[in-house]
Amino acid sequence: MFARFLRTALLGLALTAPAFADTSATTPQKDSPMTKIQFTFGADVLTATLDDTPSGRDFAAMLPLDLDLTDYHGIEKIADLPRKLDTTDAPRAYKPETGDITLYAPWGNLAIFYKPFQKSNGLVRLGAFDGSVAPLVDAGDTSVRIEIAD
């Protein structure tokens, strides 16, 4: 008798529980095509994958880009972008990891992290490198061409 009551109560909770919010705009879609890009500097070519988010798609639409990357505080490489990116539905803050490609929205610049950093307001993840970013770090301040990978 108690088991039937418990089963009925749990079923009632499941039917009346609120649905989870749709986070598809801020998290990459597993079943949607991801945009592969490449960074070319000197003789090196590094590949990365952009997130399927409004910001990631807007960055892809901007490519190809020729940028001058400079080191910033021994943690990241930064470069100014030619225009602001769409940050619709972007989280208010993000905690970057090694290899993350991000936008620092308040300044409108690209920030490529080669060391993890604290969660920061205004930081929006665009994607991540597919492998090591060591060649980019070793290059120092460098010019880079970013384009859609073949």
Side-chain angles (χ1 to χ4, degrees):
M1 182 73 165
F2 179 73
R4 185 184 318 166
F5 170 77
L6 184 59
R7 189 173 33 244
T8 303
L10 289 174
L11 179 59
L13 282 175
L15 292 175
T16 60
F20 288 101
D22 177 16
T23 59
S24 61
T26 57
T27 19
Q29 296 294 318
K30 297 293 182 205
D31 58 347
S32 59
M34 303 302 270
T35 302
K36 293 286 190 179
I37 61 172
Q38 63 187 30
F39 288 70
T40 305
F41 52 100
D44 291 303
V45 177
L46 300 180
T47 61
T49 304
L50 293 177
D51 295 341
D52 186 21
T53 61
S55 300
R57 289 188 298 271
D58 195 24
F59 182 69
M62 217 185 253
L63 301 179
L65 282 175
D66 293 306
L67 300 174
D68 292 323
L69 292 176
T70 57
D71 193 72
Y72 191 72
H73 290 301
I75 297 170
E76 61 189 293
K77 301 276 186 177
I78 63 169
D80 291 330
L81 292 175
R83 66 169 172 80
K84 291 189 180 271
L85 291 178
D86 179 0
T87 57
T88 301
D89 296 328
R92 192 174 73 100
Y94 179 71
K95 183 184 183 323
E97 298 296 329
T98 301
D100 278 347
I101 302 165
T102 66
L103 165 73
Y104 184 58
W107 293 353
N109 69 289
L110 185 69
I112 299 168
F113 284 85
Y114 57 88
K115 291 184 181 174
F117 193 64
Q118 66 193 13
K119 187 173 186 174
S120 302
N121 288 335
L123 204 57
V124 178
R125 182 181 143 109
L126 302 175
F129 282 88
D130 298 330
S132 173
V133 293
L136 190 59
V137 176
D138 294 342
D141 292 352
T142 188
S143 294
V144 64
R145 178 159 181 91
I146 308 169
E147 57 195 338
I148 304 293
D150 294 331

